[in-house]
Amino acid sequence: MAKVGIVMGSDSDLPVMSKAAEMLEKFGIDYEMTVISAHRMPDIFFDYAKSAEEKGFKVIIAGAGGAAHLPGMAAAIFPMPVIGVPIHTKSLGGVDSLYSIVQMPSGIPVATVAIDGGANAGILAAKILATSDPEILNKLKDYKEELKSGVVKKKEKLEKVGFREYNK
């Protein structure tokens, strides 16, 4: 099955990036997860991005905070889709990360999800892979039905008990 690379700039990003891994597991997609700092270990990062295609990666999910160069540099080297996950920062709340990832120069696109949007990154990777994998596509369709069912249950509960009793 197609593989996804999940890379983050620091282990402090793991709570967010693990949500991408959880979604990939839900859809039965194999992945590899690692920590590589584009700034502190550029030689290792370049090796990772250059060898990703050989490893069978079809998509890379890259999470980074602050200057957030990891997703953009991955996109500059890796020829297939890169999904950037801006990580919340204490100083600017992740807006710095978001701007760093989303403002890529022409020719080097990075699909960017919301700040701390690890789960959506995993879902987006699954959707990319589903364009050529009917099994993943069917799992995505089932997931959408699960989402719908959850909202319908909440709607019915609200209508039955009213807003004052809803969260008691």
Side-chain angles (χ1 to χ4, degrees):
M1 185 175 285
K3 291 175 70 176
V4 175
I6 300 175
V7 61
M8 63 204 89
S10 169
D11 65 344
S12 64
D13 303 337
L14 191 56
V16 171
M17 300 306 287
S18 65
K19 292 179 178 149
E22 289 168 8
M23 294 310 300
L24 294 172
E25 288 174 5
K26 179 175 185 65
F27 300 121
I29 298 169
D30 189 25
Y31 65 89
E32 177 184 299
M33 183 183 286
T34 191
V35 175
I36 302 174
S37 170
H39 297 114
R40 294 180 186 95
M41 44 202 305
D43 53 337
I44 294 171
F45 169 74
F46 283 118
D47 288 343
Y48 172 84
K50 284 182 179 181
S51 67
E53 184 180 4
E54 291 172 13
K55 287 180 171 180
F57 292 176
K58 303 296 182 199
V59 180
I60 291 177
I61 300 172
H69 290 121
L70 192 65
M73 287 304 298
I77 298 167
F78 181 64
M80 289 181 270
V82 174
I83 302 168
V85 181
I87 303 294
H88 184 274
T89 57
K90 291 179 184 173
S91 57
L92 296 173
V95 173
D96 47 345
S97 314
L98 174 66
Y99 287 164
S100 292
I101 297 170
V102 80
Q103 290 294 339
M104 291 300 298
S106 181
I108 313 293
V110 174
T112 309
V113 296
I115 296 167
D116 288 349
N120 270 354
I123 295 167
L124 182 55
K127 287 185 170 200
I128 291 167
L129 296 173
T131 62
S132 62
D133 188 322
E135 185 179 334
I136 296 173
L137 180 59
N138 286 330
K139 289 178 181 179
L140 280 164
K141 289 177 180 178
D142 290 344
Y143 177 69
K144 284 192 71 145
E145 285 302 314
E146 288 176 31
L147 292 176
K148 179 182 176 182
S149 177
V151 174
V152 167
K153 286 178 185 173
K154 292 174 184 177
K155 170 191 177 296
E156 290 170 351
K157 179 181 176 185
L158 178 61
E159 290 171 352
K160 181 178 179 181
V161 301
F163 78 93
R164 294 188 195 284
E165 298 294 319
Y166 185 79
N167 287 320
K168 286 188 177 181

